[in-house]
Amino acid sequence: MKFDYLIVGAGYAGAVIAERIASQLDKKVLIVDKRNHIGGNAYDYYNEHGLLIHKYGPHIFHTKSSKVWNYLSGFTSWLPYYHHVLAVIEGKKVPVPFNFNSIYQLFPANFAARLENLLLDKFSYGLKIPILKLMESNDSDLKFLAEYVYENVFKGYTMKQWGLKPEELDFSVTSRVPVYLSRDNRYFQDQYQGIPGRGYTEMFNRMLANDNIHIMLKTDYKDIVDDIKFNKMVYTGPVDFFFDNMHGELPYRSLSFDLKSYRKDQFQETAQVNYPNNHNYTRITEFRHFTDQKSDFTTVAYEYPEEYLPGNNDPYYPVPNDENHVRYEQYRKETEKLKDSVIFTGRLAEYKYYNMDEIVAVALMIFKNRIA
Ligand code: FAD
Ligand code: UDP
C-alpha cells in the first residue's frame, strides 16, 4: 500500500496533521510512534483505582485561541478546571505564580502592605513581572523581595528541573511563571481552560478514527522507513536523531515519576504542590483534582527531573539557551534542504518549549500553508 504521508510521532503535532490530511484531503496517512500508545506526552490512562493518570506529568489545557479551542472541541468535551499551584516555602504552602496572597502569607502584615504599595506605585495591578526583570529593581525593599522570590521559588526548582540556574536559561523559561501583581491564585489566566472530559487519549482516539489513517505503534520509523512507500514525511521526533547527530547531540531534559496511591480522599489541597527547596523531586501532582473522580483511593506522582540519556529515557523538554539554539540552528539549516520532502514540526523537531495549544496552532498552520 502506498501512503500519501508518513507521519513520525502520534503526539499533538503528528495527530493534528494526520487528522487534517485524512478528513480534509481524503488522503492516506501512516502514523508511526515508537511508544505503545498515541497521544505523545499528553497520554493518559485509567489506573487500577479507576483514576485518570497523566503518564508523563500534569497536563492542563489552556489557550487564548478560540480557533484551537474550537478545533479540539470537535473531538472532546471539557471538564471545567482552573489549575492552582502551591509552593512550599519556609514550611508554608503559598500560591505560585507568586502574588500578593503569597506576600501576605510569608511576611508580617505591615511589611507585606509596604511591599504591595511599593509594587503598585511602580507597576500596575494585574501586571506579570518575570523574576529576572524584578531582580533589576533599585528600591531596596523591592530588591529584597526579588531576591527572596529568586532564592525561594526559582533557584532550587530550576536547578533541579534543568541542572542550570535561571540566568543560564532563556529569559522565556522562568518568565512562564512570573511574579503576578494580583490576588488571582490561578496558574493560568487564559480564556479557555479545561481537561478533556474523557481524557487526552480518548480525544486523540477520536482525532485518529478515520479509515484514511493507519497507526503503527512500538515502531521506530528508522526500522520501517525503507520498506514503506509514501510521498512526503512529517517528522515530529528529535531533530538531531533524524540527522544521526551529524552536528552533535542536542541536550534534552527528561523526567521520571514515582506513582503512589493512598486510601484517602485527598493527599494535598491542590492538584500540584511544588517543592523548590526540599527533596529531590520538583512537584507532586494529585490527579483526582483534575477530574473530581470518586474513588476510595487517590493517586499522586512525585516528579524527578533527570538528564536525558538516549536509549534509557525519553526527551521531555528542549533546554532553551543560547548555546543550544546555536547547535539547533545547524540542524534547522539541514531541515531547510529537505523542505520539499520532509516537514519538521513539534516540540522535539523544532527544539521549542511548546505548550499543547501552541503546537496545535502550529500544526493547523502547517496544514493550511504547506499541505492543503
Ligand atoms: P510529543 O508529545 O513529544 O510527541 C512526539 C512523539 O514522537 C512521541 O510520542 C514520540 O514517542 C514519537 N517519536 C519520537 N521519536 C520517534 C521515532 N524515532 N520513531 C517513532 N516515533 C517517535 N502543555 C500544556 O499546554 N499544558 C501543560 O500543563 C503541560 N504540561 C506538561 C508537563 C510535562 C511534564 C511535559 C513534559 C510537557 C507538558 N506540556 C504541557 C507540553 C506538551 O506535552 C507538549 O506541548 C506536547 O506534547 C507537544 O506535542 P508534540 O507532538 O510536539 O510532541
Ligand atoms: N519555576 C520555578 N519554580 C516554580 C515553578 C516554576 O523555578 O515553583 C521555573 C522553572 O525553571 C520551571 C519554569 O519556571 O522549569 C517553568 O515552569 P512551568 O510550570 O511552566 O513548567 P512545566 O509545567 O512546563 O514543567
Side-chain angles (χ1 to χ4, degrees):
M1 182 175 189
K2 182 165 179 186
F3 295 95
D4 296 293
Y5 283 85
L6 170 63
I7 298 188
V8 179
Y12 274 99
V16 169
I17 292 177
E19 185 284 323
R20 288 288 86 184
I21 293 171
S23 70
Q24 304 302 302
L25 306 180
D26 194 20
K27 289 191 169 170
K28 301 237 171 296
V29 176
L30 174 63
I31 185 161
V32 182
D33 202 298
K34 62 181 189 178
R35 288 172 168 166
N36 64 358
H37 58 73
I38 59 171
N41 283 341
Y43 171 75
D44 55 14
Y45 65 96
Y46 291 94
N47 75 358
E48 66 276 23
H49 305 299
L51 298 169
L52 190 60
I53 306 299
H54 298 179
K55 180 168 173 140
Y56 304 101
H59 276 72
I60 299 93
F61 194 86
H62 59 100
T63 189
K64 293 183 176 56
S65 163
S66 57
K67 196 172 162 192
V68 166
W69 180 260
N70 291 339
Y71 171 74
L72 291 180
S73 300
F75 309 100
T76 187
S77 59
W78 298 95
L79 296 172
Y81 174 76
Y82 290 112
H83 198 40
H84 286 79
V85 176
L86 297 170
V88 177
I89 296 172
E90 299 191 284
K92 293 183 179 149
K93 288 185 179 164
V94 310
V96 168
F98 199 90
N99 64 19
F100 289 137
N101 294 328
S102 323
I103 291 180
Y104 276 87
Q105 265 181 260
L106 286 163
F107 301 115
N110 52 354
F111 185 52
R114 184 175 156 70
L115 290 171
E116 181 176 18
N117 288 334
L118 270 169
L119 285 164
L120 291 178
D121 276 351
K122 197 154 189 265
F123 310 101
S124 50
Y125 187 87
L127 203 73
K128 295 179 172 176
I129 311 172
I131 184 59
L132 295 176
K133 181 91 197 138
L134 197 62
M135 296 281 279
E136 293 166 10
S137 306
N138 294 322
D139 177 276
S140 62
D141 284 336
L142 286 189
K143 211 173 182 59
F144 161 82
L145 178 69
E147 271 162 20
Y148 182 91
V149 175
Y150 177 90
E151 286 294 325
N152 287 284
V153 181
F154 287 94
K155 195 168 133 194
Y157 190 105
T158 303
M159 283 304 297
K160 278 191 268 187
Q161 171 71 12
W162 303 97
L164 296 169
K165 292 189 197 133
E167 57 276 21
E168 292 172 329
L169 290 152
D170 274 6
F171 191 70
S172 60
V173 175
T174 45
S175 306
R176 289 168 61 89
V177 188
V179 174
Y180 188 21
L181 304 192
S182 168
R183 297 262 179 189
D184 179 353
N185 287 344
R186 294 173 307 159
Y187 207 61
F188 308 110
Q189 277 69 45
D190 291 343
Q191 183 179 353
Y192 305 98
Q193 305 191 33
I195 300 286
R198 290 164 187 253
Y200 290 98
T201 305
E202 185 53 25
M203 179 178 80
F204 278 85
N205 272 329
R206 291 194 192 173
M207 287 167 78
L208 299 178
N210 185 311
D211 288 344
N212 284 331
I213 300 178
H214 297 252
I215 303 172
M216 193 184 267
L217 298 175
K218 295 193 264 183
T219 308
D220 188 320
Y221 85 101
K222 283 193 182 174
D223 294 337
I224 53 115
V225 70
D226 294 333
D227 305 325
I228 304 277
K229 292 196 187 71
F230 60 94
N231 288 333
K232 204 162 176 173
M233 186 191 286
V234 176
Y235 180 77
T236 76
V239 65
D240 49 349
F241 178 78
F242 183 94
F243 291 104
D244 299 322
N245 296 326
M246 65 193 287
H247 297 298
E249 282 179 15
L250 281 165
Y252 300 88
R253 203 67 182 153
S254 191
L255 298 170
S256 73
F257 298 92
D258 187 12
L259 289 171
K260 289 209 163 70
S261 294
Y262 301 98
R263 187 186 278 277
K264 52 161 87 169
D265 276 347
Q266 188 173 291
F267 176 84
Q268 59 192 23
E269 304 84 322
T270 50
Q272 186 180 324
V273 177
N274 290 359
Y275 292 83
N277 309 304
N278 318 92
H279 310 292
N280 291 331
Y281 47 83
T282 46
R283 55 188 177 186
I284 300 179
T285 301
E286 183 176 20
F287 296 99
R288 263 173 77 176
H289 289 279
F290 294 141
T291 50
D292 217 6
Q293 287 178 273
K294 305 286 167 258
S295 168
D296 291 338
F297 288 84
T298 188
T299 301
V300 302
Y302 296 73
E303 192 166 328
Y304 295 87
E306 56 190 33
E307 196 183 333
Y308 168 56
L309 297 170
N312 288 324
N313 53 16
D314 286 333
Y316 286 77
Y317 297 84
V319 183
N321 65 19
D322 289 347
E323 186 186 338
N324 299 338
H325 291 317
V326 168
R327 189 175 296 254
Y328 167 68
E329 190 52 25
Q330 293 180 291
Y331 282 110
R332 201 194 56 73
K333 286 189 180 136
E334 301 297 333
T335 70
E336 279 291 306
K337 294 180 200 159
L338 300 182
K339 71 175 189 303
D340 293 333
S341 54
V342 186
I343 295 173
F344 292 84
T345 186
R347 187 148 144 144
L348 303 170
E350 291 180 74
Y351 204 68
K352 239 185 176 162
Y353 195 166
Y354 282 132
N355 288 330
M356 295 185 277
D357 63 321
E358 294 169 323
I359 190 55
V360 171
V362 167
L364 291 174
M365 189 63 77
I366 284 178
F367 173 74
K368 189 167 155 229
N369 295 343
R370 293 185 61 186
I371 298 177

